Amino acid sequence: MIEVFTLAFLMLVSVASVVAAYLAIRERDMVKAIVYSAIQSAMYALIFYVLMAPDIVLVYIPVSVGITPAVLLFVTKKTERYDGD
Amino acid sequence: MKASELFVLVSIIVFIFSLAYITSLGGLGQLPPVNVRLLAQRYLELTWNPLKPFMSSSGYESVTAIVWDFRGLDTFFETAVFYGAIIAAIAIYRGVKITGKGRTTGMSPIARTITRLSIILIPTVAASIALHGHLTPGGGFQAGSVATVVVVLIIMVFGRKALIRKGMTKARILLFRSLGLLGIGFTAVAILLAGIILGLNAYIFQNQPKPFAPLGFPKLYDGMILGGSLLLFNLFEFIAVTAGFTLVLLLLSLGEEEVRGVVEK
């Protein structure tokens, strides 16, 4: 029974990550796209935690939610914020 | 959201799930066995095994034992590659003056106060991850990336110049980074050097005593698990990764005008 719940949770989280990735690609505003991408990474971190990889979670959360968005924000500041046609 | 966008999203999800279903049936190649494999069994058995002292590592944590003991040389070269990437970043930004002079425009007092609290809390968590890396999940790289979040916060909330005015200049961060890498290198050959001096047989990346190589790092101290070389590797990797990430963030946060002026010359 508990396995079914785990798998259902994993399925929900992975669907949410796909939605976040789609929104990140569709978004014209770079800052919002970075936030969507961070949400997608947080979903991945949850999947790693449920699949019993706490070492990966500990490195994945700071890198994907903290450092990568920061680097992307610095880079966005040097270019244009809105993606044109 | 429009109906056409929803259709695209639903078809992506259906595609991913059908691909996952095909993979789970073995349609994209043979599947690995579900039960624990022989290699994993060997690692789990030998991570902490007082009955086989010549073959086991010195901590409770299998991942740290694999990363810094069973497969230590791989991780050493990985660290060296990371160091090379940092050197490349510095080479691109050569000649750019990084000073702490001038006004800084930070965020609101609420953000500043919260960040002042986090400046103490986050490095504490990072230090516990690094120094308990041989007992609980965690290690040097994990702790280093957690500690870098503080640097991100300081640069975002107080500004880059505030960081430099507090003494974190480029030269000093590079010094910490090199000290971390030198520490890793020294820990890797420490037992070998001691063996050469004492006239005994020893290996590089030796952690615990092996047959015909009696030297090794201390495993226990006063009933406390020290982790041998794992603790030292985690500590130095923590310093090296924190300083490396800090340096890259410091370089990336430089203004476009300052960098372009030097590059176009």
Side-chain angles (χ1 to χ4, degrees):
Chain A
M1 197 62 196
I2 198 121
E3 273 184 5
V4 175
F5 275 122
T6 312
L7 286 176
F9 180 73
L10 281 180
M11 201 165 149
L12 267 180
V13 172
S14 46
V15 167
S17 78
V18 171
V19 173
Y22 178 74
L23 289 174
I25 294 168
R26 289 284 303 177
E27 188 59 57
R28 287 283 165 83
D29 187 350
M30 287 300 157
V31 177
K32 278 188 192 167
I34 291 166
V35 172
Y36 283 134
S37 152
I39 292 171
Q40 182 212 1
S41 308
M43 296 295 156
Y44 282 178
L46 263 178
I47 293 174
F48 280 131
Y49 187 72
V50 173
L51 292 178
M52 288 188 271
D55 289 86
I56 307 293
V57 175
L58 280 175
V59 75
Y60 203 82
I61 288 178
V63 166
S64 66
V65 183
I67 298 168
T68 313
V71 168
L72 289 176
L73 282 176
F74 286 142
V75 175
T76 308
K77 210 175 103 186
K78 291 173 202 277
T79 58
E80 286 166 8
R81 182 172 165 175
Y82 293 96
D83 189 14
D85 281 320
Chain B
M1 193 181 270
K2 280 183 282 179
S4 60
E5 287 188 359
L6 203 66
F7 178 72
V8 172
L9 188 56
V10 169
S11 25
I12 291 172
I13 290 171
V14 168
F15 173 71
I16 289 172
F17 273 101
S18 34
L19 207 63
Y21 188 61
I22 293 169
T23 313
S24 72
L25 289 178
L28 297 177
Q30 208 184 356
L31 292 173
V34 179
N35 51 350
V36 180
R37 272 167 278 175
L38 193 66
L39 185 68
Q41 266 176 10
R42 195 51 55 83
Y43 279 139
L44 289 172
E45 183 195 345
L46 292 176
T47 298
W48 177 265
N49 195 343
L51 300 175
K52 296 179 180 172
F54 284 148
M55 289 170 78
S56 75
S57 184
S58 55
Y60 279 161
E61 234 264 309
S62 290
V63 176
T64 307
I66 292 168
V67 163
W68 278 122
D69 198 359
F70 294 123
R71 296 257 152 230
L73 211 55
D74 293 4
T75 318
F76 179 75
F77 284 122
E78 220 170 86
T79 311
V81 167
F82 186 56
Y83 191 71
I86 307 279
I87 295 288
I90 297 167
I92 289 170
Y93 280 84
R94 66 188 180 277
V96 182
K97 281 204 173 62
I98 307 170
T99 57
K101 284 172 193 151
R103 268 186 76 248
T104 47
T105 46
M107 284 192 186
S108 66
I110 299 172
R112 282 163 181 266
T113 314
I114 298 292
T115 310
R116 280 200 187 96
L117 290 174
S118 321
I119 286 173
I120 302 166
L121 291 175
I122 294 176
T124 315
V125 173
S128 83
I129 291 174
L131 298 177
H132 272 204
H134 55 289
L135 299 174
T136 53
F141 194 83
Q142 286 91 330
S145 35
V146 169
T148 314
V149 174
V150 142
V151 179
V152 172
L153 277 177
I154 293 174
I155 291 177
M156 292 266 180
V157 175
F158 293 102
R160 158 178 54 88
K161 288 168 180 168
L163 188 73
I164 296 169
R165 277 203 290 266
K166 288 288 174 200
M168 298 282 272
T169 58
K170 184 182 148 191
R172 210 168 280 173
I173 300 169
L174 198 61
L175 178 73
F176 275 117
R177 167 81 210 169
S178 307
L179 276 182
L181 200 78
L182 273 178
I184 291 171
F186 182 73
T187 313
V189 296
I191 294 293
L192 184 66
L193 288 177
I196 289 169
I197 291 167
L198 296 173
L200 293 165
N201 196 10
Y203 306 103
I204 57 161
F205 269 93
Q206 189 176 352
N207 182 2
Q208 296 302 308
K210 299 274 175 269
F212 310 110
L215 294 174
F217 283 102
K219 195 173 184 175
L220 292 163
Y221 174 73
D222 201 14
M224 201 164 54
I225 296 161
L226 272 185
S229 66
L230 301 181
L231 179 68
L232 290 172
F233 277 132
N234 276 338
L235 182 67
F236 288 126
E237 176 86 353
F238 172 43
I239 297 169
V241 168
T242 311
F245 273 138
T246 306
L247 198 58
V248 169
L249 286 169
L250 192 67
L251 291 178
L252 273 176
S253 66
L254 287 172
E256 183 72 2
E257 295 79 29
E258 305 164 45
V259 180
R260 187 163 284 177
V262 176
V263 171
E264 281 177 354
K265 233 182 262 176

